[in-house]
Amino acid sequence: MISTPLSLPGSQSERIPGEVGTANTLSSGIMKKLAIFSVMCFFLAKSTDTMSKAGIKREHPAARTHRDLNKKSIECIVHELGPIAQPTFENVEIPKRLTCGTENHGPTLLLVGDYEDFFDQPRIYSGAISLSIPTQLISAELVVDLADPLSYELISISEKSHHEGRSLIDKHDGYFKTLIVRISDKYGHSPTYSAAELSKQVFTNKSSMTKQYQACSNGQLSFTPALDGADIVNGVVDLVVDNDLSYSGFSHQECVSAADNAITLNYDIGTTHTYIMYICPDVVDFGIAAGVADIGGKKSWFKNEFSSYPYVQMHELGHNLVFFHSGEGAAEYGDPTGIMGGYYNTDVNFGKMCFNAAKTWATGWYSDRHATVNPTSNSYVGSVVDINTVVNNHARNADHVVVKVADKDEANLYFMLHRLEGITSDMKEEYIETHANGINIIRHAYTGMPSSKIGHLVSGDEFVKENWSNTGKDLYIKVCSIAPDSAAGGAKVLVYLNGARKPSCNDDATASSVLAIPAFQISGFTPNDNEQDDKDESASSSSCNDSRLEIKINTVLRTCDWVAKKSRLRCKKSGIASHCPKTCDKVLCNADSTMRFKIIKNNIGFQSCTWVGKTFKKQRCKLDNGHVMKTCRQT
């Protein structure tokens, strides 16, 4: 029997074509190779053992990126990573990530795995935890897997004081020296813009990040070029790293670490800078991010293509200033009205935007024009101006910039007036109609979390929060009017709970902004309203009617007649079919509308069927000539 041997990969004793091999020939070849391999393993083990006994350590695979990785351990501070997505991914949420950064230009490590389980706490206060990480747990890509059982066993954790409850004024007031690090490698990969161009884009151009921060803060916050190092020119150090930055998968944390390694070895950058902006070439892997920053830390780093955009620069430095994202709906950074959202144009001049009401309040830049309302004890009648009015010296003594609505059992609400003019004249075009030139309401539970935009009001609009602070009463924020531009004035706004004597749009906003609330009384009717018989005026179950009450679609008042014009498309919008069942879906003819609808009588404004059924149901069902009853059919 002829045996055909299988050749081992890389074998030098493979059969010659046409030669008949035998099992013995193959067996002999394998035995020789195994013997050689065994001898090599013996000498390799012996060599490793000898190096160990002699105290010679093997080099860490990432030591070329940063020499500190040859140490036994790395001491670092944990920060939450604040990213901003590239414009083509603006609706894609980037998962929460943590970094562990070192002082004195040590390596920047990326922490992956279940951090809540590892730290045994649901919230990580950025900058509040220090780790000691054995370098054996750090991968060649500078990643530490917190889910690794060895991480639980070998990483030491210590806590510092965290940001919660601490005033952030110190972060937002003053002149901060800032260093730009332009990173190139020896293989010709470098950022597009020169050091001189980057300096102008950050510090001196009319549309620069620095100029816009000065404007938004009314001159109280600015960034100045760091100048105290021999290798710094106009706030920029132009350095070269040893690594090939185009190496497959070379990540942003590796780019920054390689730059910090070069700084410790070859460059004099001084010691007085507060913030450092690292600019990496396009070949570096940022995933879908345009830039990232340590929240509350001093480092931010940018993908070359986006490093020149003032919006991206301001966003990432905002994270250094302990600003979290500004969201809307389910999108963590979906608010297009301010810098800490995520919607921007790819334009080196786009960035004339500031911050939402919650963040503006936190800075203290306009603290002399703050107002606080506790609706359970006070109502509010006031004039709210946008920041252009203040910056241009048009504000009156009684004008406010930010109003805070607070109570013990509620997350804080903040609101301010936005105008698409002056230092807030930029916004992506598709959001202007629904987000600009009105009162924007922000919900912000506590420091250290993103805020969320929950309302946009123009003249005549109301915002309603049901059962405010478990009082059984609804909170109203109503915009009576808005002046045409910042020079002409602001918005007249009312804040009150339903019941009692609600403030009126005719009340004087300049006399006293906060009004005491008298005894409770249901707005619009009293408990002894005359009920006509108790006729059953409910809509007949055999009929099907659309509601005649207006609803708000993308801030515009609409009726079921509008829905009917393009019913196939518009009936698909959430809640529309329940409001317009005759037009959309007759299965819902006897169901309550799930939409909020506008009640004209007594200026009650927007309410829901839940509100109708809560108290005084019969009286409420008769409002607006019985149209409430024909909207809340089941109630």
Side-chain angles (χ1 to χ4, degrees):
M1 177 179 174
I2 297 176
S3 174
T4 304
L6 297 174
S7 299
L8 293 176
S11 170
Q12 298 300 315
S13 58
E14 294 177 352
R15 289 174 53 237
I16 300 172
E19 182 182 2
V20 177
T22 65
N24 289 337
T25 302
L26 176 62
S27 177
S28 175
I30 291 175
M31 291 303 293
K32 287 180 182 179
K33 289 173 183 174
L34 287 174
I36 293 170
F37 180 72
S38 297
V39 172
M40 291 173 65
C41 288
F42 172 79
F43 281 110
L44 179 61
K46 194 75 174 172
S47 172
T48 302
D49 184 56
T50 301
M51 290 174 66
S52 177
K53 288 179 179 178
I56 302 172
K57 294 192 299 182
R58 296 179 65 191
E59 186 172 74
H60 190 282
R64 190 179 179 191
T65 301
H66 204 292
R67 61 177 181 169
D68 282 1
L69 292 164
N70 278 330
K71 296 178 179 179
K72 292 183 67 174
S73 63
I74 297 294
E75 314 298 320
C76 55
I77 300 172
V78 178
H79 285 97
E80 184 176 339
L81 204 59
I84 184 171
Q86 298 171 24
T88 51
F89 300 100
E90 65 182 21
N91 292 313
V92 179
E93 188 168 322
I94 301 176
K96 183 174 181 177
R97 310 294 289 275
L98 302 177
T99 62
C100 206
T102 61
E103 301 292 338
N104 301 320
H105 301 286
T108 296
L109 311 176
L110 183 66
L111 307 181
V112 300
D114 188 345
Y115 67 87
E116 291 186 9
D117 183 67
F118 180 83
F119 292 108
D120 195 27
Q121 57 188 43
R123 290 182 62 199
I124 303 300
Y125 295 97
S126 193
I129 296 176
S130 297
L131 302 180
S132 178
I133 304 176
T135 50
Q136 71 189 76
L137 299 178
I138 303 171
S139 76
E141 294 78 26
L142 306 186
V143 175
V144 178
D145 184 1
L146 299 180
D148 186 334
L150 282 176
S151 294
Y152 285 83
E153 182 181 342
L154 300 178
I155 295 177
S156 299
I157 304 174
S158 60
E159 291 196 28
K160 303 164 64 180
S161 61
H162 55 63
H163 295 299
E164 186 175 42
R166 179 174 66 84
S167 171
L168 301 180
I169 300 295
D170 59 328
K171 279 275 187 182
H172 304 144
D173 186 6
Y175 289 76
F176 298 109
K177 289 187 178 180
T178 304
L179 175 67
I180 303 170
V181 180
R182 183 179 184 271
I183 306 168
S184 304
D185 67 16
K186 296 189 297 186
Y187 304 93
H189 306 112
S190 62
T192 304
Y193 293 100
S194 68
E197 289 171 322
L198 287 171
S199 178
K200 291 178 181 178
Q201 288 164 353
V202 171
F203 298 116
T204 61
N205 284 355
K206 188 176 181 180
S207 59
S208 69
M209 174 194 82
T210 295
K211 299 292 186 186
Q212 187 63 17
Y213 262 112
Q214 287 174 342
C216 291
S217 67
N218 200 16
Q220 297 175 70
L221 172 66
S222 187
F223 299 93
T224 59
L227 299 172
D228 65 329
D231 292 308
I232 299 175
V233 179
N234 295 324
V236 184
V237 58
D238 202 350
L239 60 75
V240 178
V241 301
D242 290 333
N243 307 68
D244 181 355
L245 298 177
S246 68
Y247 185 80
S248 177
F250 201 84
S251 65
H252 52 74
Q253 74 266 14
E254 291 177 277
C255 177
V256 171
S257 297
D260 279 325
N261 188 53
I263 287 170
T264 61
L265 294 174
N266 303 315
Y267 295 89
D268 175 10
I269 61 167
T271 58
T272 64
H273 47 270
T274 305
Y275 298 111
I276 309 176
M277 304 170 67
Y278 298 82
I279 316 299
C280 298
D282 278 329
V283 294
V284 173
D285 183 9
F286 273 71
I288 67 171
V292 290
D294 288 333
I295 297 179
K298 68 178 184 180
K299 293 181 179 180
S300 59
W301 46 103
F302 304 82
K303 189 175 180 67
N304 164 65
E305 180 185 351
F306 305 98
S307 63
S308 61
Y309 297 162
Y311 185 98
V312 176
Q313 295 169 2
M314 287 188 72
H315 183 103
E316 294 309 329
L317 267 292
H319 283 313
N320 290 152
L321 294 168
V322 204
F323 286 138
F324 285 72
H325 285 137
S326 297
E328 182 174 357
E332 183 180 312
Y333 39 96
D335 181 359
T337 66
I339 286 296
M340 299 313 294
Y343 299 148
Y344 60 99
N345 291 331
T346 53
D347 181 351
V348 294
N349 295 312
F350 185 93
K352 288 186 175 62
M353 304 174 81
C354 292
F355 299 91
N356 71 19
K359 292 173 173 59
T360 301
W361 179 283
T363 64
W365 292 333
Y366 302 91
S367 58
D368 59 333
R369 294 188 178 277
H370 286 180
T372 301
V373 185
N374 183 334
T376 57
S377 57
N378 299 297
S379 61
Y380 170 86
V381 181
S383 171
V384 180
V385 297
D386 77 304
I387 61 177
N388 288 286
T389 303
V390 178
V391 170
N392 295 320
N393 297 314
H394 296 309
R396 302 169 303 167
N397 290 338
D399 290 337
H400 295 129
V401 170
V402 191
V403 178
K404 176 181 178 180
V405 184
D407 216 327
K408 60 181 181 179
D409 295 324
E410 291 283 350
N412 291 336
L413 302 183
Y414 302 82
F415 63 82
M416 64 188 297
L417 176 62
H418 173 274
R419 290 192 188 277
L420 204 65
E421 64 174 82
I423 63 174
T424 55
S425 58
D426 281 339
M427 185 182 291
K428 290 196 74 173
E429 186 175 356
E430 58 265 41
Y431 299 106
I432 290 175
E433 182 179 349
T434 55
H435 290 76
N437 301 312
I439 291 287
N440 289 323
I441 304 172
I442 308 298
R443 181 183 185 275
H444 193 210
Y446 44 79
T447 301
M449 292 294 288
S451 58
S452 180
K453 178 177 170 292
I454 59 173
H456 173 75
L457 308 178
V458 295
S459 184
D461 283 349
E462 290 179 337
F463 167 87
V464 181
K465 170 70 169 65
E466 294 183 346
N467 191 24
W468 174 261
S469 196
N470 298 314
T471 60
K473 308 174 190 178
D474 299 338
L475 170 73
Y476 284 78
I477 301 175
K478 179 174 181 175
V479 177
C480 299
S481 60
I482 301 178
D485 55 53
S486 61
K492 188 170 187 178
V493 183
L494 312 180
V495 180
Y496 59 94
L497 295 185
N498 66 318
R501 185 197 72 80
K502 69 179 182 181
S504 165
C505 288
N506 294 322
D507 290 342
D508 185 2
T510 62
S512 178
S513 296
V514 180
L515 308 173
I517 291 181
F520 175 72
Q521 178 185 357
I522 295 293
S523 176
F525 43 79
T526 56
N528 61 351
D529 269 354
N530 183 18
E531 295 185 26
Q532 276 188 342
D533 297 331
D534 226 0
K535 285 183 182 178
D536 182 7
E537 297 177 7
S538 61
S540 169
S541 59
S542 61
S543 64
C544 189
N545 296 293
D546 289 341
S547 172
R548 302 308 300 167
L549 300 180
E550 293 177 313
I551 54 177
K552 190 179 288 187
I553 306 295
N554 295 330
T555 74
V556 179
L557 290 175
R558 302 292 191 185
T559 65
C560 290
D561 291 337
W562 172 82
V563 174
K565 291 177 182 177
K566 293 184 179 179
S567 60
R568 290 185 61 184
L569 175 65
R570 291 170 178 169
C571 285
K572 294 178 181 179
K573 292 181 179 287
S574 177
I576 295 291
S578 67
H579 198 72
C580 311
K582 183 176 181 181
T583 297
C584 298
D585 188 351
K586 293 186 178 180
V587 173
L588 300 174
C589 285
N590 294 315
D592 283 349
S593 170
T594 61
M595 302 291 288
R596 294 184 64 81
F597 42 84
K598 188 172 184 178
I599 301 174
I600 303 298
K601 183 176 175 62
N602 295 311
N603 292 316
I604 289 175
F606 283 90
Q607 292 293 354
S608 67
C609 290
T610 301
W611 174 84
V612 172
K614 198 178 292 182
T615 56
F616 304 103
K617 179 168 64 176
K618 291 181 180 179
Q619 291 95 329
R620 290 178 174 180
C621 282
K622 294 174 184 177
L623 290 171
D624 283 17
N625 299 317
H627 286 305
V628 170
M629 178 173 53
K630 295 173 183 177
T631 301
C632 304
R633 308 163 194 98
Q634 184 175 352
T635 297

